[in-house]
Amino acid sequence: KTSVSFRDVCLLKVFQLGLTTLKQLQTRAINADPQQEAILGEQSLALTVRCLSFDFIGTNPDESTEDVGTIQAPTSWRALLQDPAT
């Protein structure tokens, strides 16, 4: 299934990219004007939220349902999610 392959091969890397960009913005490692920083920050935050909103267990046929406040992330994500620096 395509979504399972995406989850297993790409999603963690996409999530890490969003987190890295947010950290770089926080430490001023990205040289951009304030407007560009704001846009990049908003987009990076939206990307990380979308990654966490992914239907990890494949039970949500309708993505427009209400947020439940918990996720079923793969165990391979555990160290990253529990890291206080994240």
Side-chain angles (χ1 to χ4, degrees):
K1 191 173 177 181
T2 304
S3 64
V4 172
S5 177
F6 175 74
R7 177 197 67 199
D8 294 343
V9 176
C10 301
L11 192 59
L12 180 58
K13 292 175 186 175
V14 173
F15 182 62
Q16 289 173 318
L17 176 65
L19 289 176
T20 299
T21 303
L22 289 169
K23 287 178 187 176
Q24 289 175 338
L25 285 168
Q26 181 183 24
T27 61
R28 301 272 188 222
I30 295 176
N31 186 17
D33 66 55
Q35 183 181 5
Q36 290 172 327
E37 285 183 0
I39 293 168
L40 186 56
E42 290 171 8
Q43 294 300 314
S44 298
L45 187 57
L47 177 65
T48 57
V49 168
R50 286 185 186 111
C51 288
L52 294 173
S53 300
F54 184 82
D55 183 14
F56 290 101
I57 56 176
T59 60
N60 187 4
D62 181 10
E63 292 184 354
S64 66
T65 59
E66 304 244 348
D67 295 332
V68 293
T70 60
I71 62 168
Q72 296 288 330
T75 56
S76 60
W77 289 42
R78 182 171 293 162
L80 179 64
L81 294 174
Q82 291 179 339
D83 183 352
T86 299

